C-alpha cells in the first residue's frame, strides 16, 4: 500500500499497533493524534507536502480506508478528489466530516474549506473529535476529554498570539493576495482583506484567464501591495510572472499541508506560527 508505506517511512503513524484511525490530511492527523495519544494509531491519507485539492488516491488507499476504525476528514469540499472512494458505503459509514456544523464561508457557490487557518475552528474540531473517540473507546473518555481541553487551551493561546503579532501590521496594509483563496478564515478572524488571487477560486485546480491576471496585476499596483502569498506546490513561474509585472514579491507559505519533520511546518502549531511570521514580515 503506497500511502501506508510512505507514511510509515515519514513517521506519520502515531501510537502502537492495533486500532487505526485515518485522517485525510496531515493537519487533521496532527490534531487527531494530539487528542488520542497512543490509544489509536493515526495515519494521514494525503502525504506531507501534497496539495490536498489535487491528491489522487490509489487502490492501496482504498484498502487503508476500509481497514480504519474511523476516518476524519476536513470536509467543506477539500477532499473533492477523494469523493468517489469516500462515498463507498463501507467508508462513508465511518466518515467524520469535521467541518460539519461550522459556520462556513462561501466563494461564489462553493464552500471555503480552509477552516484550519482559524484556530478557534480547530478548537471546535477538537470538541467533535473528543466526542467521537469517547464513543469508539469509552474506557478512554476521561483521557480524551483531558487531552481535548489541553489542546483547546493551546489553540486559544495561539489565537491570542496571532492577534498580538497582527498588531505589528498597520490596518491599511492588511491586504492579502494569494495563489488561490485560502486565507479567508484567517482574514476574517484577524482583520485582513482578501484583495485577490492568481486563481480566483477556493481550489488550485482552476485556471486563471489572461483578463483575470491583468486585472490582478493592476489591483496590486494600485494598492501598492508588497507581497503575493503562495503555497509550496503552486506554479512558481506563474506567481513570479505576476510579481514581476506588479512589483510585488512572492512569499511561500505552508498553509494546506504540513511540510514534514525537516521542514518549517512539521505540525499544526508550527504551520500557523510560520505563516503568521511570514505575513507580518512581508506586510508590516
Amino acid at each position: 500500500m503506497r500511502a501506508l508505506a510512505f507514511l510509515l517511512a515519514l513517521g506519520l503513524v502515531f501510537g502502537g499497533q492495533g486500532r487505526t484511525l485515518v485522517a485525510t490530511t496531515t493537519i487533521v492527523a496532527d490534531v487527531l493524534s494530539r487528542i488520542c495519544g497512543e490509544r489509536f494509531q493515526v495515519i494521514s491519507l494525503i502525504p506531507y507536502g501534497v496539495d490536498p485539492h489535487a491528491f489522487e488516491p490509489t487502490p492501496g488507499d482504498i484498502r487503508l480506508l476500509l481497514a480504519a476504525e474511523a476516518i476524519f476528514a476536513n470536509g467543506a469540499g477539500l477532499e473533492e478528489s477523494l469523493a468517489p472512494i469516500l462515498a463507498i458505503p463501507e467508508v462513508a459509514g465511518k466518515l467524520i466530516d469535521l467541518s460539519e456544523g461550522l459556520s462556513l464561508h462561501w466563494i461564489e457557490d462553493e464552500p471555503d474549506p480552509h477552516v484550519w487557518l482559524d484556530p478557534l475552528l480547530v478548537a471546535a474540531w477538537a470538541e467533535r473529535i473528543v466526542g467521537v473517540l469517547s464513543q469508539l473507546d469509552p474506557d478512554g473518555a476521561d483521557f480524551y476529554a483531558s487531552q481535548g481541553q489541553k489542546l483547546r487551551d493551546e489553540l486559544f493561546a495561539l489565537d491570542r498570539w496571532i492577534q498580538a503579532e497582527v498588531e505589528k501590521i498597520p490596518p491599511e496594509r492588511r491586504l492579502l493576495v494569494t495563489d488561490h483563496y485560502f486565507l479567508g478564515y484567517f482574514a476574517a478572524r484577524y482583520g485582513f482583506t482578501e484583495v485577490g488571487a492568481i486563481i480566483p477560486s477556493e481550489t488550485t485546480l482552476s485556471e486563471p484567464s489572461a483578463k483575470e491576471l491583468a486585472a490582478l496585476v493592476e489591483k496590486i499596483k494600485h494598492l501598492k501591495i508588497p507581497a503575493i502569498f503562495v503555497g509550496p506546490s503552486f506554479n512558481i513561474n506563474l506567481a513570479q510572472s505576476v510579481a514581476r509585472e506588479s512589483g510585488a514579491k512572492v512569499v511561500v507559505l505552508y498553509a494546506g499541508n504540513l511540510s514534514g519533520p525537516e521542514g518549517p511546518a512539521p505540525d499544526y502549531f508550527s504551520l500557523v506560527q510560520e505563516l503568521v511570521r511570514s505575513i507580518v514580515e512581508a506586510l508590516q
Side-chain angles (χ1 to χ4, degrees):
M1 299 193 327
R2 183 200 65 176
L4 181 55
F6 185 82
L7 294 165
L8 281 167
L10 286 179
L12 259 180
V13 176
F14 304 93
Q17 301 301 313
R19 305 177 72 174
T20 300
L21 305 173
V22 169
T24 54
T25 75
T26 55
I27 293 170
V28 174
D30 184 57
V31 173
L32 179 58
S33 68
R34 289 171 186 269
I35 297 173
C36 75
E38 296 184 354
R39 296 187 69 89
F40 283 91
Q41 185 179 61
V42 178
I43 300 173
S44 176
L45 185 66
I46 300 175
Y48 288 133
V50 174
D51 182 350
H53 296 294
F55 175 72
E56 296 183 4
T58 69
D61 298 325
I62 298 175
R63 292 194 292 272
L64 179 62
L65 293 171
L66 292 172
E69 194 157 339
I71 301 154
F72 292 79
N74 177 92
L78 183 75
E79 296 90 354
E80 183 178 356
S81 66
L82 297 174
I85 62 173
L86 294 180
I88 296 171
E90 294 83 359
V91 172
K94 52 189 177 181
L95 181 66
I96 295 92
D97 181 341
L98 292 175
S99 292
E100 184 179 355
L102 298 182
S103 180
L104 299 177
H105 298 175
W106 290 75
I107 301 171
E108 295 182 350
D109 58 350
E110 297 292 337
D112 180 351
H114 306 90
V115 296
W116 63 89
L117 293 176
D118 179 345
L120 299 191
L121 295 181
V122 177
W125 281 9
E127 189 172 357
R128 178 88 181 279
I129 290 168
V130 167
V132 173
L133 294 181
S134 297
Q135 290 181 337
L136 291 174
D137 177 24
D139 291 344
D142 290 344
F143 174 78
Y144 301 134
S146 175
Q147 291 295 101
Q149 188 56 55
K150 177 184 176 183
L151 176 57
R152 285 167 59 83
D153 290 344
E154 292 171 344
L155 289 165
F156 295 145
L158 177 64
D159 175 64
R160 293 191 295 271
W161 176 82
I162 296 171
Q163 292 184 54
E165 289 296 302
V166 167
E167 286 299 315
K168 299 175 182 177
I169 307 173
E172 67 274 11
R173 291 178 64 85
R174 296 176 194 172
L175 305 176
L176 298 171
V177 174
T178 51
D179 58 20
H180 71 297
Y181 287 120
F182 66 86
L183 288 174
Y185 295 95
F186 177 86
R189 176 67 187 158
Y190 301 110
F192 289 81
T193 299
E194 286 190 294
V195 172
I198 296 174
I199 298 175
S201 170
E202 83 290 346
T203 172
T204 55
L205 300 181
S206 302
E207 292 287 342
S209 67
K211 183 178 179 180
E212 288 169 334
L213 290 175
L216 179 62
V217 167
E218 289 307 309
K219 186 179 290 188
I220 294 170
K221 287 180 178 179
H222 176 70
L223 295 174
K224 297 181 172 60
I225 295 172
I228 301 169
F229 300 103
V230 306
S233 61
F234 188 72
N235 182 339
I236 192 63
N237 292 328
L238 178 57
Q240 288 175 340
S241 174
V242 174
R244 280 194 303 271
E245 293 184 38
S246 65
K249 65 179 178 180
V250 175
V251 177
V252 176
L253 297 180
Y254 275 92
N257 208 343
L258 302 183
S259 63
E262 305 304 320
D267 57 64
Y268 173 75
F269 285 87
S270 298
L271 178 145
V272 174
Q273 289 163 349
E274 183 63 24
L275 178 144
V276 171
R277 291 189 190 104
S278 297
I279 291 175
V280 170
E281 181 179 348
L283 298 183
Q284 68 180 348

